[in-house]
């Protein structure tokens, strides 16, 4: 299983773009990268998933360089409601033992 | 679909008591799992199941039992509760995302306090 490393915490101001990077040096060829968001007292919820290059959906973008040893979650124009913990997970189609790291605690300031 | 449903939402136990946390999903997901989350910490995998009749241990399985007799249900049993098991417990099931790998869907959590 690929181990992931993320910054423990980040602060940002409303309206800014936030980029959270995750390092996964031993990612396997068949692994995908998935990001989750967790608010206090709630279970994590899926944000975005990708394999390579760039993936974009209605809430975020995911950038994955060619060597795939890291990935960056980009949140455009954050608001106070984006204050949460963000986790990146690495695993393949047949990965079932998903291990969460400590995540990145994002605080958005007014 | 109701998604992943956990009961109870809150429970207080005394040391040595036993109880079962219930988890049910109505999405026909083969994979289900249990995590615990201590205050200010990340989630730790307790047990998981890849289908009815198949279970396996996660990172912190000691003190917990699971079984999977149906696709829908995955109960977590505490045989003899200890204060160290005070935590918030999350159940999850997974589906195959658009990109191709599994995506976890979580329940609302069960907050357990052991005195």
């Amino acid at each position: 299983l690929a181990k992931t490393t993320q910054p423990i915490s980040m602060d940002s101001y409303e309206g800014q773009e936030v980029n959270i990077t995750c390092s996964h040096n031993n990612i396997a060829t068949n692994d995908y990268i998935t990001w989750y968001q967790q608010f206090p007292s709630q279970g994590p919820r899926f944000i975005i998933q990708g394999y390579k290059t760039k993936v974009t959906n209605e809430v975020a973008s995911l950038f994955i360089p060619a060597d795939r040893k890291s990935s960056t979650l980009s949140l455009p124009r954050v608001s106070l409601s984006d204050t949460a913990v963000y986790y990146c997970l690495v695993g393949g189609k047949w990965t079932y033992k998903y291990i969460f790291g400590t995540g990145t605690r994002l605080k958005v300031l007014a | 679909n109701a998604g992943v449903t956990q009961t109870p939402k809150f429970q207080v136990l005394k040391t040595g008591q036993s109880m079962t946390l219930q988890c049910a999903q109505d999405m026909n997901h083969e994979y289900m799992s249990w995590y615990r989350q201590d205050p200010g910490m990340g989630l730790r995998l307790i047990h998981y199941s890849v289908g009815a009749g198949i279970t396996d241990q996660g990172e912190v399985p000691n003190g917990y039992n699971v079984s999977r007799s149906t696709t829908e249900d995955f109960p977590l049993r505490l045989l003899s509760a200890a204060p160290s098991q005070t935590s918030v417990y999350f159940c999850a099931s997974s589906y195959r995302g658009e990109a191709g790998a599994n995506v976890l869907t979580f329940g609302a959590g069960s907050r357990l306090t052991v005195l």
Side-chain angles (χ1 to χ4, degrees), chain A residues 25-95:
Chain A
N25 289 320
N26 59 338
I27 188 169
T29 302
N30 296 327
D31 284 344
Y32 292 71
I33 299 122
T34 309
W35 285 81
Y36 294 86
Q37 175 191 55
Q38 185 181 27
F39 297 115
S41 302
Q42 295 184 24
R45 67 176 188 177
F46 170 78
I47 302 175
I48 197 166
Q49 183 179 85
Y51 182 78
K52 62 180 179 180
T53 62
K54 177 182 176 182
V55 180
T56 298
N57 62 22
E58 62 275 10
V59 299
S61 295
L62 176 60
F63 298 92
I64 305 168
D67 67 5
R68 304 199 327 122
K69 293 184 184 297
S70 66
S71 59
T72 299
L73 174 72
S74 181
L75 303 172
R77 297 181 297 281
V78 294
S79 64
L80 296 176
S81 63
D82 292 314
T83 293
V85 179
Y86 293 82
Y87 297 94
C88 78
L89 268 72
V90 172
K93 289 182 179 181
W94 308 112
T95 298

Side-chain angles (χ1 to χ4, degrees), chain A residues 32 36 38 44 93 95-96 98, chain B residues 31 35 37 99-100 102 104 106:
Chain A
Y32 292 71
Y36 294 86
Q38 185 181 27
K93 289 182 179 181
T95 298
Y96 296 109
Y98 282 100
Chain B
Y31 174 87
Y35 289 85
Q37 186 171 37
N102 292 324
L104 297 169
F106 285 84

